[in-house]
Amino acid sequence: MIQGTGSDVGKSLLVAGLARAFTERGLRVRPFKPQNMSNNAAVTADGGEIGRAQALQARAARVAPSVHMNPVLLKPQSEVGSQVVVQGRMVATVKARDYQAWKPRLMSAVLDSFSRLAGEADLVLVEGAGSASEVNLRAGDIANMGFARATDTPVVLVGDIDRGGVIASLVGTKAVIDPEDAALIAGFLVNRFRGDPSLFADGMRLIAERTGWAALGLVPHFPDAARLPAEDVLGLAGSESRGPGAVTVAVPVLPRIANFDDLDPLRAEPNVSVVLVRPSTPIPAEAALVLLPGSKTTIDDLEAFRQEGWDVDLRAHVRRGGRVLGLCGGYQMLGNSLADPHGIEGAPRTVAGLGLLDVDTVMTPEKRLAAVTGTSLPDGVHFAGYEMHIGATEGPDAARPLLRLADGRLDGAVSADGRVAGTYVHGLFAHDAQRAAWLARLGTASDGPGYEAGVEAALDGLARHIAAHVDCDRLLALAR
């Protein structure tokens, strides 16, 4: 089990790299994260949803993602509450304080999923969540030491030297956790080192002496990590600046932005500058396309969009002849109205949309989770992606659909002038031909490597990087 001294220390990428490295050795590897918190989810082959990081780790292990790889997924809807997804299906919406009482009953699902994966694998790589030293949350824990103790799984603790204080964070973890928990930690890794490794040799020895844990590796910063899908919106840079002639795609960053890996293929394009529009910043006038991303709480995010004045900026963008694309929640925002009669996102209500598409949306309790393929209209270009949404959208502009799915269904809507469009399908830009068609509409060409091929190359490079700097033989010998 790979645990961390804190969030965002690189646990997810380390597990992905180890998964590919051990898979290359001929082992049957499965990734597993007992509990995850993310609004960047992936659809699984068995019709559920898991954290995006576990889907990437499954890809690294060259297996299809399964709901059992992330049996408990928390999808934040507010500062104090989240949807709870268990083995791929949403079961409740709970407040953070109330969730503490839920955790013991969720352990049975966690152990069930872990047992299923262990039964089909030579090696299960388990990823912890947050920090191993959050002793205030230790009672009933299912994500870190609670799981490790329940399954007698050895732990490797990861510290991030790039953020500073790595010696204190590793030694301090030993100081504050329960001695029986500390006994499960077999070794440590220091991640994201920059510079001459010999300069930290004394640091590695000091940590080992103070903790009694084995030093398993000093892992340098891996630049190509930016080519892999990020799980957390914190992993997105503020903007991507390209050379002269690059077209600008502006993306307002909503408080509950979801499935933001839709942006990754565009960010990898040399001829595209993706500008993430942060609060208190106007939508740039030079944008060729404004992309409204997915949202976990569409109505609240629409209200936040208006509070920032982005609705005024967006109308000015359209008047200048700019294009707009809404994805999933962003699509719903572009219509005339959004109705939530069942109170799925809070109190029942109906609000006015942005009015750029002549459609209306009604939120429905049923959630659609499915991988889809098809062609875009009217150009007939193939795409592959996935649906992950609630709600039904209808209206005159839906008579001009954006996509035709392989099962014959039509999806999305296009304005009469063709400049505003929306769709429920995520992952459009990951398909090279579809991305090239969109860039052609913006007056530029797709000039980067194939996106999926680039992800594979980055995973291979990550595996080689980790194999060069981590004692993988010793790590494997620690497993039981």
Side-chain angles (χ1 to χ4, degrees):
M1 185 176 194
I2 306 297
Q3 294 189 28
T5 58
S7 296
D8 196 33
V9 299
K11 300 185 296 291
S12 296
L13 281 184
L14 285 169
V15 170
L18 289 168
R20 177 58 60 93
F22 285 125
T23 297
E24 290 292 314
R25 293 188 178 197
L27 296 175
R28 298 174 302 158
V29 180
R30 299 293 184 271
F32 181 73
K33 185 161 186 169
Q35 173 191 293
N36 200 352
M37 178 178 282
S38 177
N39 276 331
N40 205 27
V43 172
T44 64
D46 40 5
E49 57 181 314
I50 60 174
R52 173 61 55 182
Q54 281 61 66
L56 179 67
Q57 292 161 358
R59 178 172 182 164
R62 297 198 171 97
V63 294
S66 160
V67 296
H68 298 296
M69 294 173 181
N70 176 204
V72 178
L73 174 62
L74 306 179
K75 305 188 77 172
Q77 287 189 298
S78 68
E79 294 302 317
V80 295
S82 297
Q83 280 188 355
V84 181
V85 178
V86 179
Q87 292 181 330
R89 298 292 175 185
M90 198 270 282
V91 297
T93 299
V94 299
K95 294 187 181 300
R97 181 174 297 278
D98 297 333
Y99 179 68
Q100 301 307 312
W102 271 70
K103 290 194 292 187
R105 75 179 86 165
L106 294 174
M107 181 63 95
S108 61
V110 167
L111 296 178
D112 172 64
S113 290
F114 178 67
S115 176
R116 290 170 186 253
L117 291 183
E120 63 187 42
D122 301 311
L123 176 66
V124 179
L125 295 169
V126 184
E127 180 187 341
S131 170
S133 61
E134 292 170 337
V135 293
N136 57 309
L137 301 177
R138 177 61 180 85
D141 173 63
I142 65 173
N144 289 305
M145 286 302 179
F147 172 82
R149 287 270 289 274
T151 57
D152 191 32
T153 298
V155 174
V156 173
L157 188 64
V158 179
D160 178 9
I161 197 169
D162 196 45
R163 64 177 60 192
V166 72
I167 295 174
S169 62
L170 285 163
V171 175
T173 298
K174 174 68 179 292
V176 300
I177 63 176
D178 185 277
E180 290 187 53
D181 288 345
L184 280 173
I185 300 180
F188 69 92
L189 293 168
V190 172
N191 196 23
R192 294 176 177 153
F193 184 82
R194 300 173 191 263
D196 182 353
S198 67
L199 297 177
F200 196 65
D202 288 344
M204 296 293 283
R205 282 193 294 271
L206 188 152
I207 295 167
E209 290 169 1
R210 294 289 184 92
T211 62
W213 303 330
L216 298 174
L218 177 63
V219 184
H221 171 69
F222 181 64
D224 281 350
R227 297 169 62 187
L228 297 171
E231 181 179 53
D232 196 302
V233 70
L234 296 176
L236 294 177
S239 66
E240 301 292 335
S241 179
R242 303 293 191 220
V247 299
T248 296
V249 175
V251 184
V253 179
L254 305 169
R256 297 296 168 194
I257 186 173
N259 298 86
F260 47 83
D261 53 308
D262 282 328
L263 310 178
D264 290 344
L266 293 175
R267 298 170 76 212
E269 284 284 353
N271 295 334
V272 177
S273 176
V274 176
V275 176
L276 301 180
V277 185
R278 302 288 181 175
S280 304
T281 305
I283 294 174
E286 69 273 17
L289 173 70
V290 175
L291 193 155
L292 273 61
S295 167
K296 189 69 194 71
T297 51
T298 305
I299 293 177
D300 285 348
D301 273 357
L302 174 59
E303 292 178 349
F305 189 94
R306 283 197 168 99
Q307 289 170 4
E308 292 295 333
W310 288 336
D311 55 332
V312 177
D313 294 346
L314 190 61
R315 287 195 295 271
H317 168 80
V318 172
R319 286 196 300 270
R320 290 191 295 268
R323 292 182 177 272
V324 180
L325 175 63
L327 300 176
C328 200
Y331 169 33
Q332 295 174 339
M333 293 180 196
L334 288 172
N336 295 318
S337 67
L338 288 85
D340 184 8
H342 304 284
I344 296 168
E345 292 190 351
R349 53 183 165 164
T350 298
V351 301
L354 296 171
L356 295 180
L357 284 175
D358 193 4
V359 294
D360 297 278
T361 295
V362 177
M363 301 291 189
T364 54
E366 299 78 20
K367 188 170 191 176
R368 181 163 180 81
L369 297 164
V372 294
T373 61
T375 56
S376 52
L377 301 172
D379 52 19
V381 177
H382 183 70
F383 73 87
Y386 63 96
E387 291 179 273
M388 180 182 289
H389 70 91
I390 59 171
T393 301
E394 298 177 345
D397 281 351
R400 286 182 294 272
L402 183 65
L403 305 174
R404 183 186 300 277
L405 307 185
D407 62 8
R409 289 182 297 126
L410 300 175
D411 175 84
V414 180
S415 63
D417 63 7
R419 291 191 169 273
V420 182
T423 176
Y424 276 118
V425 175
H426 293 283
L428 278 182
F429 298 123
H431 196 277
D432 296 341
Q434 188 63 218
R435 187 173 68 259
W438 274 96
L439 294 185
R441 296 183 194 116
L442 301 180
T444 191
S446 176
D447 198 25
Y451 175 70
E452 299 293 354
V455 171
E456 283 298 308
L459 285 172
D460 286 339
L462 179 61
R464 291 191 296 269
H465 181 77
I466 288 177
H469 299 286
V470 174
D471 190 344
C472 290
D473 289 334
R474 191 170 183 183
L475 194 64
L476 192 59
L478 293 171
R480 56 178 178 261

